[in-house]
Amino acid sequence: MGERIPVVGRNTELALIRQALEATKAGTGRFLLFEGSAGIGKSRLLAEAIQQAGKLGMTVATGQATELDRVAPLSLLLTTLRTSTPPVVDADGLVELRAHGGMAADRLWLLDRIGCLIEEHARRRPLLIALDNAHFMDQLTELALVTLIPRLRGLPVMWLLARNARSERPGCLELMERPDEEFARCVRLSTLDSTAVQEYCTHAFGAPAGPGLTALAMRSGGNPFLLKHLLTTLHTQGRVSTAGGTAVVHPGENLPSDFVSAVSAQLRHLSLATRRLLEAGAVLNRPFSLNEVSDLLGRRPIALMSQVEEAVETDLLVDQGAAFAFRHDLVRDAVYERLSGPLRRALHQETASVLQRRGGSRAEVVLHLVRGGGDDAQTVAALCEAGKELARSAPGAAADMLFQALDLVPADAPERADLVARTVRLLASAGRIAEARELGESMLHETGFEVYVGLAEALKHAGQDSLVVDYTERALDLPGVPDPVRGQLLAVQAHALLNCDEPERADARAAQAIELGEPSTAAFAAAAHSAAARALGRVEEAVAHAVDAVRLADESGPEARHWHPRYWLGRALTAADRLDEADAAFDRGEQETQELGSAWSLPLWYFGRAEARMTAGRLDDAEAAALAGKEASERLGALAVVPSLLIVLAQVAIHRDELTQACDLVREARRLGQSGYRFPPQSLAWVQAQLAYAHGEPKGAVTALASVYDALEERPILLTEIAWAAPAMARFAVDAGEPQRAKHTARVARRLADASPETVSLTAAAHHAEGLVRGDLDALRAAVDAYRSGPRQLARALALMDVAHAEAAAGRRSRAITVLEEALELFTQCGAKRSMARARRDLRNLGVRPKKWKPLARAKTGWDSLTLAELRVVRLVAQGLTNRIVAQRLFLSPHTVDTHLRHAFAKLGVSSRVELTRHALLADQNSEARRSPDHVKA
């Protein structure tokens, strides 16, 4: 068995690798994921891909995850990109990343910057990124892959991953739940069939296997790794020879079928010192340096050189340059299992001491302390410190640390309550809501009030607001709750009550929390105060409370800023027509998300932007922000805001006259709402009413909004959030033959306008509603004039339509046409196809020839199908700019740019930026040709 045996039984997989590499070389990215049981041949396929990529002149960045990578955020990906030739992340780039805050403090910025570095490298040279043992990836590396793989699909970057099929960690497999056969493929490797096993034997011994050898080889179960070690063992023992052109096995000791016995047989031929070296390496449970294992064994490194050489020569260890690793995890596991219990514990304890002396990571030291069964108090303290260290960057790993600490803390220990509460919060931050709830509920009767706070926060992140109210009420009823804890419970409950449509109670609870709570709690409560004031129609008061919340958070420090009061400030500013200031608040808030590592809040910023864009009538940008928020929510497992994002998307679809899609979105939002993800009910009622009216059913629209009409005096939030809600509700009621509801809506709109005179849209909406109710043309004109001084273009266009109808009814045809054409121009800018069609129909009825207008229907595919927002992004990308620079140029989030870009890829039927640039150049040439004198003459 001298020569390396070629890959057998994997022709389909090898062809898939070749196709993916060739496509990447040509400029189109690919993603391949190989899954299978341990020893099935995943690593070998990766090695073949790496070799082929090198022959094609591609940069190869390769890495292998280990179990300890789960507590070392992003180290796997950074190491992989740094050690490629040439490096994708060079020394200067690594210094920049670390200088910006390191892996723990600024993870979202890190992901964005890493994406830019990969993008910059791929523009110069095609790149293969191959990661083995992907089931061991840490959470931040998983998030990086889920974010970067689709983002960079238009570049010559191939991602190749291998993972064990039985791993419970989903990781980047989320990408495979919606497979794209052209871009992403998941290949589940099966065992080798009998033909492949025989072929392997032929390569191993240079002759076809005889019946006895074939039967023995088939006992490997078709697992390439077991087969290799089985045949290696037979060869080492001299039990195979060639006779008559056939490889035959000689009688002897029957080899056991299980792997541990096979490895034991192989290890018997090693020296005792080499076996001790392997045992030390198995306890370390990761690639190890010679210095580490020499410290563990109490020997000088040079004294171990011959043992290392023996282990490498027998293919048990592989030299990775700076470290040695087991060729396969199964070998390491088998060696570890052969250790007796007392010896294993002693080695773990000694390993913890060695790593502490060498300045190893706290998390790794703790793992060995736990497995070594040392002093409980020391181990608990170490686990808690490690959990604190990991909390921001890897909350799931930190929670696992605290889980282990809980097992060692006595049930009556005073520190147990705080430990449970911290564990529950970490589980919630990691998206493990079911575990958080189970742990919190199981400990409610054994621990203190802090557990209620942790459980309430966990459920709040998950969007389970009704349960939040229930748990906080139960906790507040307990005797002896300290004021600071009571303040925390009241603040969390106030936010939950907002989504349960109880703004008055939320306002009262927020005021109590501010009075009782510490500064960080007061900041969170002030944010709820702001949201409640906005729901009750007190817009300027909402802004003032939000400003106070931001000030308190900035003065109190990271704990208070973790609640992100700038989100509530941005929403209050949006209601107050201060959209530029709202954008600035959302941008600063997203920066804080990066600084604090609170990734769970990322979807909130997208929803805030989507709402603001919708308010301004920028439908394309609203859709892009909402889609980016939905993807971020699903990626992070923080689904609380998804129903609200779906409502925004449904509103966009209605304005585009895509009613079937709108119905589907509403159905999905309602389904999530029924699953416990609560959101303000007036939002769902509003979009259902719009759908009913669009289908010609004004009575259905009024029915959908019946509860909103009835509570409008006390809860006018719909009128403060949506500029055209008041006139629309008045119109619905008038057309449905319910004038009293229409008059009531106009009265409430006027009250809101008088209470907040600085908010232009409220004044305009009041004029608009009054004009519709009274048939007052002057009021309608006043609405248009008021809207002109504000940012809400779509609302102005809708008011113009009503002015035009009144002018036409009064016989002033030319004025009606002028007003309709202004409205049509605004509708076109907003992309509101449904209203564009109405305006054109009205113009035709007034005798205006249709050739004056652009075609109504936008193409579904091709260059003409791109929206204005998508065109802006595509033209800058075609100039060679990165997503980050495009975002800076257009004042957008990089994720929004990515969403626009993916839509453009789909509409144009391209999969790389090279193809996208060709389309842009061709479109420019066609446009130039249409403008040329020869074209005009023709």
Side-chain angles (χ1 to χ4, degrees), residues 312-371:
V312 171
E313 287 173 359
T314 53
D315 209 27
L316 292 169
L317 294 183
V318 58
D319 185 349
Q320 295 185 338
F324 296 95
F326 282 89
R327 172 66 72 178
H328 199 282
D329 291 342
L330 285 176
V331 174
R332 183 195 64 214
D333 293 344
V335 172
Y336 185 79
E337 289 299 324
R338 290 178 70 252
L339 295 172
S340 65
L343 177 57
R344 188 184 300 171
R345 288 192 292 273
L347 283 171
H348 277 300
Q349 291 172 9
E350 183 61 26
T351 300
S353 300
V354 168
L355 292 175
Q356 282 179 320
R357 291 197 301 270
R358 297 182 63 84
S361 76
R362 194 192 308 270
E364 187 176 5
V365 171
V366 166
L367 286 174
H368 289 291
L369 282 174
V370 171
R371 290 173 180 173

Side-chain angles (χ1 to χ4, degrees), residues 86 117 144 170 203 229 235 271 307 311 366 371 415 442 485 510 516 537 601 637 639 646 650 669 720 728 739 805 896:
L117 292 172
H203 285 295
H229 282 275
H235 174 75
S271 66
Q307 286 76 39
V366 166
R371 290 173 180 173
E415 67 270 21
S442 69
V485 177
L516 293 173
S601 67
L639 302 180
L646 292 171
T720 64
H805 293 159
T896 302

Side-chain angles (χ1 to χ4, degrees), residues 897-935:
V897 169
D898 178 52
T899 299
H900 283 316
L901 198 55
R902 283 189 282 115
H903 286 176
F905 273 35
K907 290 178 179 179
L908 297 175
V910 302
S911 55
S912 73
R913 296 188 182 214
V914 174
E915 296 173 88
L916 186 72
T917 302
R918 285 199 208 99
H919 275 269
L921 292 173
L922 183 60
D924 289 342
Q925 291 170 3
N926 291 339
S927 178
E928 185 65 31
R930 284 193 294 268
R931 290 195 298 267
S932 69
D934 291 341
H935 178 79

Side-chain angles (χ1 to χ4, degrees), residues 616-621 652 655-656 792-795 797 824-833 836 858 868:
R618 294 166 53 186
L619 301 183
D620 290 344
D621 289 337
V652 172
H655 283 294
R656 288 178 175 169
R792 309 198 181 209
Q793 299 282 69
L794 189 52
L824 177 58
E825 182 179 353
L826 288 173
F827 287 137
T828 303
Q829 291 173 4
C830 295
K833 296 180 184 179
M836 288 164 63
R858 175 180 284 148
L868 292 175

